[in-house]
Amino acid sequence: MDGIIAKILQNNVDFIVEANRLKAIVIEKERERQRVMRLRRRRLWIHPIMAQRMTRGVFSTLYMELRGDPDKFFSYVRMKAENFDVLVERVEHLIRRSDTYCRFSITPAERLMVTLRFLATGESLSSLHFQFRLGISTISGIVRHTCRAVWDSLHD
């Protein structure tokens, strides 16, 4: 009788161990599925809002209008348009990037305008991100690289 009870108890223990193992596998599979779903949601080449940079971004819409009004240009960029053009010429060879088959590069004038807006106003990268329709990390790199180029061009 004791042998039968021991065997039944052992079968119950084996069943519980196997059930816990299967439960752990199911939990791990669910975690993996959720991780994959999170990655899938982020797989945009470019966000639709950012994709409209060429038609609705600050540089493409406001820049030419500001060029027509020297006072407004100075108010926005904190620099005369003539000085802006000279500065673009001085740093252009340092900050120009190549176009690719997938995208157009950000022009040196736009890079400089983003940087001057950041420096002149102290606006956050997040705010500039929505105005210029560029990624936050892109703006961060632009500001860092353009500041270095301006320093290298003008420090003498």
Side-chain angles (χ1 to χ4, degrees):
M1 186 75 159
D2 288 337
I4 294 174
I5 293 174
K7 197 170 201 177
I8 291 172
L9 290 175
Q10 183 60 41
N11 285 344
N12 285 343
V13 168
D14 290 344
F15 176 78
I16 291 170
V17 168
E18 184 64 19
N20 286 337
R21 188 181 72 78
L22 289 174
K23 183 178 176 182
I25 290 171
V26 167
I27 289 171
E28 185 59 36
K29 291 284 188 188
E30 180 60 21
R31 284 183 185 155
E32 178 64 21
R33 187 188 70 76
Q34 288 175 354
R35 188 184 70 77
V36 167
M37 292 304 290
R38 276 194 309 271
L39 288 175
R40 277 192 194 147
R41 277 189 294 226
R42 288 189 251 164
R43 286 198 179 170
L44 290 173
W45 175 256
I46 185 169
H47 193 279
I49 291 173
M50 301 303 128
Q52 297 175 351
R53 175 177 67 91
M54 301 297 272
T55 57
R56 293 187 176 176
V58 166
F59 188 78
S60 61
T61 58
L62 190 59
Y63 178 72
M64 290 313 291
E65 291 179 45
L66 290 173
R67 294 297 301 225
D69 188 341
D71 292 333
K72 294 293 183 188
F73 188 89
F74 186 86
S75 177
Y76 191 78
V77 184
R78 307 290 202 277
M79 180 181 287
K80 290 183 180 179
E82 300 81 28
N83 294 340
F84 182 83
D85 294 338
V86 169
L87 188 55
V88 167
E89 287 177 18
R90 299 271 312 253
V91 299
E92 181 176 14
H93 67 283
L94 297 172
I95 62 175
R96 177 173 295 285
R97 298 288 183 262
S98 300
D99 291 338
T100 67
Y101 292 111
C102 299
R103 61 167 178 75
F104 292 110
S105 65
I106 302 162
T107 64
E110 187 171 5
R111 289 173 173 274
L112 184 59
M113 190 172 192
V114 168
T115 302
L116 292 175
R117 251 339 249 173
F118 176 76
L119 295 173
T121 64
E123 287 190 57
S124 68
L125 296 178
S126 182
S127 173
L128 293 170
H129 152 72
F130 287 110
Q131 289 177 34
F132 285 90
R133 296 179 185 245
L134 296 166
I136 294 173
S137 60
T138 302
I139 290 177
S140 174
I142 286 171
V143 168
R144 192 175 334 110
H145 189 254
T146 305
C147 284
R148 171 57 62 187
V150 169
W151 172 257
D152 290 343
S153 296
L154 301 178
H155 78 277
D156 291 336

